Amino acid sequence: MEGGASVADNAEFKECLRLIWSQPYILRLVFSAGIGGLLFGYDTGVISGALLFIRDDFVELQKNTTLRETIVSMAVAGAIVGAGLGGWMNDKFGRRPSLIIADVLFLAGAAIMAFAPSPAVIIVGRVFVGLGVGMASMTAPLYISEASPARIRGALVSTNGLLITGGQFMAYLINLAFTKVPGTWRWMLGIAGFPALLQFILMLTLPESPRWLYRQGRKEETAAILRKIYPANEVEEEIESLRKSVEDEMLLEGSIGEQSLFGKLKKAFGSKVVRRGLVAGVVVQVAQQFVGINTVMYYSPTIVQLAGFASNNTAMALSLITSGLNAMGSIVSMFFVDRAGRRRLMLLSLVGIIVWLAVLGGTFLEAAHDAPPISDMETRPFANQTCPEYNPKVRWSCMDCLRAASTCGFCAHQGNTLLPGACLALNNETRGMCHADHDREFYSEGCPNNYGWLALLALGAYIVSYSPGMGTVPWIVNSEIYPLRFRGVCGGIAAVANWVSNLIVTQTFLTLTKVLGSAATFLLFCGVSFLALIVVFLTVPETKGLQFEEVEKMLESKDYKPWKRYHPEVPTKGRETGLYMP
């Protein structure tokens, strides 16, 4: 869609359904490329549940939160590199080969993790998967966009975002399905190889993006593909439209130094319009991560256990709710982002995030205060497995036990988990002994309490607040805020800022919960979210309903104020700037 953002409305969805029925080849293209989004979502979501069982299988993970964080975050680190390589490969070799290579990386990563004999090998597999995620995250929507009819492009591209959240939801379902199967986490991580193999086979039967082919001068191949996508009476018109669009694009690229990245960056940062747009674009991408969303998506079952639910199965079943709410939120965003506006939706989203993170932090604070005490009588039967730091003469609670330097766990009282329990060294032997003693519950992340359901309610409300606003809108803003000639380089900078922020949050969450405690960690995210609300209000303008050219005029205005609504029409002679208060 030249001149506007690819955001789908109701009419576009109806046209999408009609055209897919009459032109089934389009559905084949979109489904095949969309598996990349599904894999993206699955591989970022599956680790949350698998980590619980990996932790139980390897003693070193029970005592080393940094190693657990590394297993999760190495996929993010790989994605940063993969996104950079993907951009170069997309231009050099095409969209189709890039997706095929991403599938090979997915397959390799899934196989390495499924047969990994140690945490170090799992990390290697996660790096491979991350490289695939980074490449697929930018290639899949690009391929769909360039291979879709213009009038339904927004609807078809929107399906990629839906498939990402759908992949995360599917990951939780599969995690839950394999909890009782021998090999648990190996199946959870390895099963991602099957959709990757399916996409690999499908992509071998599909053509390259028509836009990329036309840029390479392969016009006959381009025309042959367009004949499969468009009705016969529209093909010539689309070829002419593609010709003009590509020629204009190449002319613009040449004017900013197409062959020189340094030249592009120098000209970009020399422009007031680009600087203002880049500040807004980077701010929303960093804020999207620093409000703590991936602590939920990557560590959701662990958070459920921090709330006082000891069972791995229960933690994953309850986490399924948060993943489902996230997927629903992406659908809600499609219907409201053009009605409420980008800026307003993000600000409302941040207000909800702040409120519910405060509730979540307060709930954990109260739960820690009311943690069950440690009883010497309860601990004595496990004399050989008692926590080394435990001293019967010093009054301890369950929280003191879990914070012990040598890593300990709480064996709850039989029949009533809120009564005094035992503090034991954390290993598989003591876990088994606790379970064997009248089927008592063993807690290693959080303590039993009466506030767990309130924490889950706050967690769900946090997702509902996040997903329709801060979950999807930052990507829309970044597709609209930059001048066309600098969109590639600026979008790349913002995407890297997003992934790096993701890495920082993912690599530090468990450490923060150990050093600060769960309550203080979520209150810290609450404070960061409040800061994000202020910065977004001061730096991000409204782009709803504006053409690309109008966005550029707004950013270059002498009286530009992000919190003022830009009006492209000048109703009176004295209002040259086109700014007015909403």
Side-chain angles (χ1 to χ4, degrees):
M1 291 181 186
E2 300 300 330
S6 295
V7 181
D9 57 22
N10 291 341
E12 191 172 328
F13 276 109
K14 291 177 182 177
E15 174 66 10
C16 178
L17 293 173
R18 186 196 68 78
L19 198 57
I20 284 176
W21 181 261
S22 61
Q23 300 284 116
Y25 188 73
I26 298 170
L27 181 61
R28 184 179 164 193
L29 286 173
V30 173
F31 171 76
S32 300
I35 295 175
L38 190 74
L39 282 165
F40 177 4
Y42 184 86
D43 279 304
T44 54
V46 71
I47 193 63
S48 60
L51 189 64
L52 301 181
F53 296 93
I54 296 172
R55 180 195 66 195
D56 291 347
D57 276 4
F58 297 105
V59 175
E60 58 265 47
L61 289 179
Q62 297 176 0
K63 300 181 178 180
N64 191 334
T65 56
T66 302
L67 190 56
R68 277 190 273 164
E69 288 168 335
T70 302
I71 288 175
V72 175
S73 62
M74 278 303 98
V76 180
I80 296 172
V81 178
L85 285 174
W88 172 75
M89 290 180 64
N90 269 280
D91 289 338
K92 184 73 174 177
F93 304 110
R95 289 44 164 151
R96 178 172 165 269
S98 297
L99 277 175
I100 289 173
I101 292 172
D103 288 327
V104 172
L105 291 168
F106 277 126
L107 277 166
I112 291 170
M113 290 186 294
F115 296 100
S118 68
V121 178
I122 296 175
I123 291 171
V124 172
R126 291 287 290 168
V127 171
F128 273 82
V129 164
L131 290 169
V133 164
M135 292 177 65
S137 68
M138 65 172 303
T139 307
L142 186 62
Y143 182 88
I144 294 171
S145 175
E146 294 182 348
S148 302
R151 60 185 179 277
I152 61 168
R153 187 175 300 148
L156 294 179
V157 174
S158 296
T159 61
N160 188 67
L162 184 59
L163 284 167
I164 292 173
T165 53
Q168 291 171 334
F169 184 71
M170 186 178 76
Y172 282 86
L173 283 175
I174 289 176
N175 280 349
L176 196 58
F178 282 100
T179 54
K180 299 294 185 181
V181 176
T184 52
W185 60 269
R186 297 184 185 276
W187 284 102
M188 295 171 184
L189 299 175
I191 206 168
F194 291 101
L197 180 61
L198 175 62
Q199 186 181 45
F200 178 85
I201 294 169
L202 289 173
M203 291 308 299
L204 290 176
T205 68
L206 291 175
E208 180 53 78
S209 152
R211 188 178 191 87
W212 187 85
L213 288 173
Y214 196 93
R215 285 183 63 109
Q216 307 305 309
R218 296 157 65 175
K219 298 179 182 179
E220 289 301 321
E221 294 177 62
T222 302
I225 297 167
L226 292 177
R227 290 189 186 99
K228 295 181 179 180
I229 297 174
Y230 291 92
N233 61 327
E234 297 180 16
V235 173
E236 293 304 321
E237 180 183 346
E238 289 301 325
I239 292 175
E240 176 59 23
S241 175
L242 180 62
R243 182 196 65 78
K244 187 177 184 307
S245 175
V246 169
E247 288 179 358
D248 289 347
E249 184 181 87
M250 294 176 76
L251 186 64
L252 280 171
E253 288 173 350
S255 71
I256 62 171
E258 162 65 7
Q259 301 304 321
S260 170
L261 177 61
F262 178 77
K264 283 185 180 182
L265 290 171
K266 185 177 180 181
K267 288 193 176 184
F269 286 108
S271 166
K272 177 173 65 176
V273 172
V274 174
R275 289 197 303 271
R276 286 174 170 174
L278 199 55
V279 166
V282 170
V283 160
V284 295
Q285 293 286 37
V286 172
Q288 184 190 62
Q289 298 301 322
F290 278 3
V291 298
I293 182 58
N294 280 318
T295 63
V296 177
M297 298 317 299
Y298 295 155
Y299 298 109
S300 184
T302 300
I303 294 173
V304 171
Q305 290 189 332
L306 288 170
F309 297 90
S311 166
N312 287 350
N313 295 354
T314 302
M316 286 195 294
L318 293 174
S319 298
L320 191 63
I321 299 171
T322 62
S323 180
L325 289 172
N326 190 42
M328 288 171 59
S330 65
I331 299 173
V332 171
S333 178
M334 293 179 187
F335 289 95
F336 285 99
V337 71
D338 278 330
R339 297 180 185 180
R342 287 81 161 118
R343 175 183 163 89
R344 182 179 298 173
L345 202 55
M346 283 191 293
L347 293 175
L348 288 172
S349 178
L350 283 166
V351 169
I353 287 168
I354 292 166
V355 169
W356 292 110
L357 281 175
V359 172
L360 196 59
T363 301
F364 277 113
L365 195 64
E366 191 63 28
H369 181 266
D370 292 346
I374 302 299
S375 164
D376 183 46
M377 184 179 298
E378 289 288 317
T379 304
R380 203 174 297 150
F382 304 95
N384 295 330
Q385 298 295 337
T386 302
C387 177
E389 284 85 359
Y390 174 63
N391 182 349
K393 297 180 180 180
V394 178
R395 187 175 180 179
W396 260 25
S397 73
C398 169
M399 291 305 299
D400 297 311
C401 177
L402 298 190
R403 290 171 183 160
S406 59
T407 312
C408 300
F410 178 74
C411 183
H413 190 281
Q414 180 208 349
N416 189 340
T417 59
L418 300 179
L419 292 177
C423 185
L424 310 177
L426 180 59
N427 55 57
N428 288 337
E429 183 180 352
T430 56
R431 191 188 301 270
M433 289 172 64
C434 180
H435 288 311
D437 186 17
H438 298 93
D439 199 27
R440 296 163 72 169
E441 290 284 3
F442 191 82
Y443 294 79
S444 59
E445 297 292 342
C447 294
N449 60 80
N450 284 322
Y451 308 99
W453 289 104
L454 180 58
L456 290 180
L457 176 64
L459 194 63
Y462 165 82
I463 292 290
V464 169
S465 300
Y466 172 88
S467 185
M470 290 305 296
T472 56
V473 177
W475 297 103
I476 296 173
V477 169
N478 272 274
S479 74
E480 299 172 329
I481 200 74
Y482 309 119
L484 184 64
R485 58 195 177 278
F486 294 113
R487 196 184 307 162
V489 65
C490 291
I493 292 171
V496 169
N498 182 283
W499 282 112
V500 170
S501 304
N502 185 335
L503 179 62
I504 292 170
V505 171
T506 306
Q507 184 64 39
T508 58
F509 174 67
L510 291 180
T511 299
L512 286 173
T513 61
K514 291 296 181 185
V515 174
L516 303 178
S518 304
T521 299
F522 284 106
L523 291 174
L524 174 63
F525 281 122
C526 179
V528 172
S529 299
F530 181 75
L531 179 62
L533 176 67
I534 296 172
V535 175
V536 168
F537 179 85
L538 294 175
T539 62
V540 183
E542 181 57 75
T543 57
K544 181 186 79 169
L546 299 179
Q547 301 293 323
F548 288 137
E549 296 80 4
E550 292 165 349
V551 172
E552 191 167 347
K553 288 178 182 178
M554 172 182 67
L555 293 173
E556 70 183 359
S557 169
K558 291 181 180 179
D559 295 331
Y560 168 73
K561 297 290 188 295
W563 54 89
K564 292 183 178 180
R565 180 78 166 108
Y566 178 77
H567 196 281
E569 298 177 1
V570 183
T572 63
K573 187 176 180 180
R575 291 179 64 182
E576 286 88 10
T577 62
L579 294 171
Y580 74 100
M581 289 296 290

